[in-house]
Amino acid sequence: MADQPSEDVRAVLAAIESMNLPDVSDLAPEEARALMSEAFTTEEPVEAVGAVEDRTIPGPAGEIPVRIYTPEGDGPHPVVVFFHGGGFVLGDLDGHDAPCRILTNAVDAVVVSVDYRLAPEHPFPAPVEDAYAATEWVAEHAAEVDGDSDRLAVAGDSAGGTLATVVALAARDRDGPDLAYQALLYPAVDFRGDDYPSRAENAEGYFLTADEMAYFGDHYVPSWVHTANPYLGPIEAESHADLPPATVVTCGFDPLRDEGRAYADALDADGTPVTRRHYDDLIHGVVNMVEEPMDVAGGHEVLDDVAGDLRDALH
C-alpha cells in the first residue's frame, strides 16, 4: 500500500484544509448542500459533448430531473444511466457534470444523469425507487434519447455507486431491464459492518471522514430494521449470481475501500464477472476532481479506465 496519497491529491487536500470550511457533519443538510455545490460547480464545462438536455421523467413520487448527454455522431448509442455521489444527502446534476461529460465522450455513449430524491427529506428507500424508475424509463424510452436499449449500463460513484449496485440487483430480482454492465465507483455496500480496517485507517484526513459517513447514514437510514435489506446494503443479498458484469473501483485512502473489495469478492464468488480497479494512492471522491482548481491526474485515470470497461461491454 502507498505510504501517502499522490502528490496532486495531497495538494487538493491541503487546499481544502486551508479554506477552513466547516465540517459537513456539523451542518444542516441544506447548508451542507450549498457548501458542496459551491465547491464542485464550475462555470466552464470540462469538455464539450454533442448535446446536453435537461428534462424530467416520471418517477414513483413525481417527476425526476435528469440531464441527458449525447455524444457526437449518429445514434442509436449505448446508454449509461449515472447516479451521482453525495452520501444520499448531497449532490446534484451540476456537481457531477464533469465526470458525465468525460464518460459521454470516452465511452461514446448517451449518459443519463439522474437527480434522485435526497435524504433526510426522502430517506431510504426513496433514492433507490427513483434510481430504479429512471433506469426502467431509459430502458423503455431509449429511442427518445437516441439510445439503444440492448446496450444499457448503470454507473455511479459513492452513494451513486451504491444505487447502481442496487438497481442491478433489483433488475435481476424483478425481471426488470436487461443490463449489460455495472460500473461501481467506490460504492458503500454495507450498512451493518463497521469492522472494515479501511474505515479506521482512513477515518479522517482523506476527504470522506468517519463523522461524515455517520452523518450520511443517520439521515439516509430511518431505522436499524433496514440494515439487513440488500437494497440498502447490497452485500447482504442472498446471492450475487446472474448479475451484469461489473467494474468495482476502490481507492487506497478511502474508508469504503475494504467493503468495495468485499463486494467484488462476493460477485466473484457467485460467478458474476468482475474487473477490480484499485488505485493505491487515491482518495474517495476523486472522479469529481478532474478540473481546476481541483484537478487530480488520478481522477482522469479512473474515468479513463472505467470508460474503457464500459466501451468494451457496450460496443
Side-chain angles (χ1 to χ4, degrees):
M1 165 140 175
D3 295 332
Q4 56 184 349
S6 68
E7 187 177 344
D8 48 0
V9 166
R10 297 200 307 275
V12 165
L13 291 172
I16 293 171
E17 183 77 14
S18 71
M19 292 178 197
N20 274 326
L21 300 171
D23 288 340
V24 164
S25 53
D26 292 334
L27 299 174
E30 57 272 18
E31 295 172 319
R33 288 171 195 149
L35 180 75
M36 295 306 281
S37 176
E38 204 172 313
F40 283 102
T41 305
T42 54
E43 295 299 318
E44 290 298 319
V46 67
E47 290 182 12
V49 297
V52 180
E53 179 196 3
D54 285 354
R55 63 165 292 174
T56 60
I57 61 175
E63 296 291 297
I64 303 171
V66 297
R67 183 170 293 167
I68 301 164
Y69 301 84
T70 307
E72 297 279 2
D74 295 332
H77 305 278
V79 190
V80 179
V81 184
F82 184 89
F83 310 108
H84 66 74
F88 308 98
V89 175
L90 313 175
D92 56 25
L93 300 177
D94 290 339
H96 279 68
D97 186 66
C100 287
R101 285 173 178 272
I102 290 168
L103 287 172
T104 300
N105 288 333
V107 183
D108 192 23
V110 172
V111 172
V112 180
S113 183
V114 180
D115 203 10
Y116 55 87
R117 288 172 290 166
L118 297 175
E121 298 89 342
H122 306 285
F124 176 82
V128 170
E129 291 171 348
D130 283 1
Y132 187 76
T135 307
E136 275 197 316
W137 184 90
V138 171
E140 290 165 10
H141 298 83
E144 274 185 49
V145 300
D146 201 18
D148 177 0
S149 61
D150 290 332
R151 295 183 291 159
L152 176 64
V154 288
D157 69 307
S158 191
T162 310
L163 292 174
T165 310
V166 170
V167 166
L169 283 170
R172 177 198 66 184
D173 297 346
R174 299 172 181 178
D175 201 18
D178 187 12
L179 300 175
Y181 210 77
Q182 49 177 330
L184 316 175
L185 284 65
Y186 36 81
V189 296
D190 190 341
F191 285 77
R192 292 209 283 198
D194 53 7
D195 54 353
Y196 294 102
S198 59
R199 291 200 187 185
E201 288 168 21
N202 300 321
E204 55 183 59
Y206 301 115
F207 190 66
L208 175 64
T209 67
D211 286 348
E212 287 169 353
M213 286 176 59
Y215 170 89
F216 294 140
D218 289 345
H219 284 313
Y220 180 49
V221 188
S223 165
W224 66 270
V225 299
H226 295 294
T227 55
N229 188 329
Y231 295 158
L232 177 71
I235 205 155
E236 304 291 345
E238 281 183 26
S239 167
H240 296 91
D242 303 315
L243 292 168
T247 290
V248 180
V249 169
T250 52
C251 297
F253 293 91
D254 182 355
L256 298 179
R257 177 193 72 209
D258 291 344
E259 65 200 82
R261 286 174 162 172
Y263 196 70
D265 290 345
L267 293 171
D268 195 32
D270 284 344
T272 294
V274 58
T275 299
R276 302 164 189 262
R277 294 205 175 272
H278 179 68
Y279 303 86
D280 220 17
D281 59 355
L282 297 183
I283 58 172
H284 192 85
V286 74
V287 298
N288 273 80
M289 301 173 185
V290 289
E291 53 188 335
E292 295 298 340
M294 291 192 281
D295 198 356
V296 173
H300 294 276
E301 181 187 358
V302 173
L303 287 171
D304 283 349
D305 290 345
V306 170
D309 294 342
L310 285 164
R311 201 168 52 239
D312 289 347
L314 299 175
H315 284 285

